[in-house]
Amino acid sequence: MFTRRTGALFVVSALLFGGTFVAARIGLEYLPPLFFVALRFDLGAIVLLTFAAATLSREELQPRTLGDVVGILATGVIVIGLTNALLFVGQQYVTSGVAAVVFSLNPILTPVFAALLLSEGRLPVRGAVGMGLGLLGVVLVADPGSVALLGGGLGVPLVFGAAVVSALGAVVIRRADATLSSTARTVWGVPLAAVLSHGLSYAAGESVIGLSLPPVALAALLYVGVGSGAVAYLTYFALIDEAGATEANLMFYFVPVVSAIGGFVLLGETLSIGSIVGFVIIFAGFLLVSGLPAAFTTPFKRSVRDRLAHLGI
């Protein structure tokens, strides 16, 4: 069940992550993918370390248990580092819409891993139906024809791999049962992701000689570094702690919605009738899985109960 706080974390995460696909597509025109990811998390690390120095004590940042170490590694290496490395490399070969819809398989994959690793991960039939509706809505929003999905070469398998890694990492974080706050884990995790990405970029032989960043590329880098590279991960990992991995990753159903709107506003892409229908279907699937917040359902139930009592039923 989503509370007001988890709802706010959900919305902020979806908005910031949704813009990543548009910004990444712009930045990849000027930067090699793994080096782009590394720069993204260099910026994110600077922001988060500055934030931590101002707001967190040494005790709040110090790992104390094995669960803390596992949580940090799952955060930095799996959910942030490997996920984004696969995603950005894959996005060289497919459009941002196709990348968004493939990555939005994340909420379908999360309950699979949760069912294996967490007792809380098993969903009722209603939840399974809701996830299926959400996936259908995502497909309609992104509007990826079969040719687009199958014609991207390595793009679709790489982005699908990113979705698998992200879903697994989110469940591992939940299972680790760390004593560190999600904020502290993110402060540790983003620099780890930056180091990993630089290593992968070097191993892949990416050349950075003679690179130049026009204003549009710099804006894209700043967005994915600060907005979706620092702030979004703070809200996302807090959401996992608050709501659980399965519920938190429902957020990725809404990422293609944000990407579609961003493409319409910034890149002149049009919104089809199928996209609008997809918005409605995603929302319906979301409600089936998570339920309406108590602030909405409680007054309704009370009204029905009072009405039945008035009728003597």
Side-chain angles (χ1 to χ4, degrees):
M1 186 67 69
F2 277 76
T3 65
R4 184 174 298 179
R5 171 177 164 77
T6 56
L9 293 171
F10 189 100
V11 170
V12 172
S13 299
L15 288 173
L16 291 175
F17 280 132
T20 300
F21 290 92
V22 178
R25 193 64 186 172
I26 294 171
L28 286 171
E29 296 292 328
Y30 305 94
L31 291 165
L34 293 172
F35 186 64
F36 188 10
V37 173
L39 289 180
R40 175 191 187 187
F41 293 127
D42 287 342
L43 286 175
I46 292 171
V47 172
L48 287 172
L49 291 174
T50 302
F51 170 78
T55 62
L56 300 177
S57 66
R58 179 176 296 181
E59 288 74 21
E60 289 175 304
L61 287 169
Q62 183 177 350
R64 292 179 293 275
T65 67
L66 178 60
D68 290 338
V69 176
V70 172
I72 288 170
L73 291 175
T75 297
V77 175
I78 302 177
V79 177
I80 301 178
L82 287 178
T83 295
N84 282 277
L86 290 167
L87 181 61
F88 276 54
V89 173
Q91 227 182 310
Q92 293 179 107
Y93 307 104
V94 295
T95 65
S96 58
V98 171
V101 70
V102 175
F103 192 75
S104 290
L105 290 168
N106 185 307
I108 303 293
L109 298 166
T110 303
V112 176
F113 292 118
L116 295 173
L117 300 175
L118 302 172
S119 59
E120 68 182 48
R122 296 177 177 85
L123 287 177
V125 173
R126 188 188 72 172
V129 172
M131 288 197 166
L133 280 177
L135 179 59
L136 173 61
V138 163
V139 171
L140 289 172
V141 170
D143 194 22
S146 59
V147 175
L149 278 174
L150 300 176
L154 291 174
V156 169
L158 286 169
V159 176
F160 177 72
V164 172
V165 169
S166 177
L168 174 62
V171 174
V172 171
I173 289 171
R174 188 71 171 180
R175 183 175 175 82
D177 195 24
T179 63
L180 284 178
S181 68
S182 60
T183 300
R185 293 198 308 269
T186 308
V187 169
W188 280 100
V190 169
L192 273 178
V195 172
L196 174 65
S197 301
H198 278 292
L200 291 174
S201 176
Y202 178 80
E206 290 183 340
S207 175
V208 297
I209 299 173
L211 289 177
S212 61
L213 286 181
V216 66
L218 182 60
L221 178 59
L222 288 173
Y223 179 86
V224 298
V226 178
S228 64
V231 179
Y233 280 110
L234 285 173
T235 60
Y236 172 57
F237 291 122
L239 182 61
I240 290 177
D241 283 352
E242 290 277 339
T246 297
E247 289 79 5
N249 280 357
L250 290 172
M251 176 267 300
F252 289 107
Y253 273 148
F254 289 80
V255 166
V257 177
V258 178
S259 297
I261 295 172
F264 173 73
V265 174
L266 298 176
L267 303 177
E269 299 173 352
T270 58
L271 286 173
S272 66
I273 296 298
S275 294
I276 297 172
V277 173
F279 296 164
V280 177
I281 293 177
I282 288 173
F283 185 66
F286 168 74
L287 292 182
L288 280 174
V289 176
S290 65
L292 281 169
F296 292 97
T297 58
T298 300
F300 176 75
K301 290 178 181 178
R302 185 182 300 117
S303 176
V304 172
R305 186 169 56 249
D306 292 346
R307 182 63 177 169
L308 291 175
H310 178 73
L311 294 175
I313 299 176

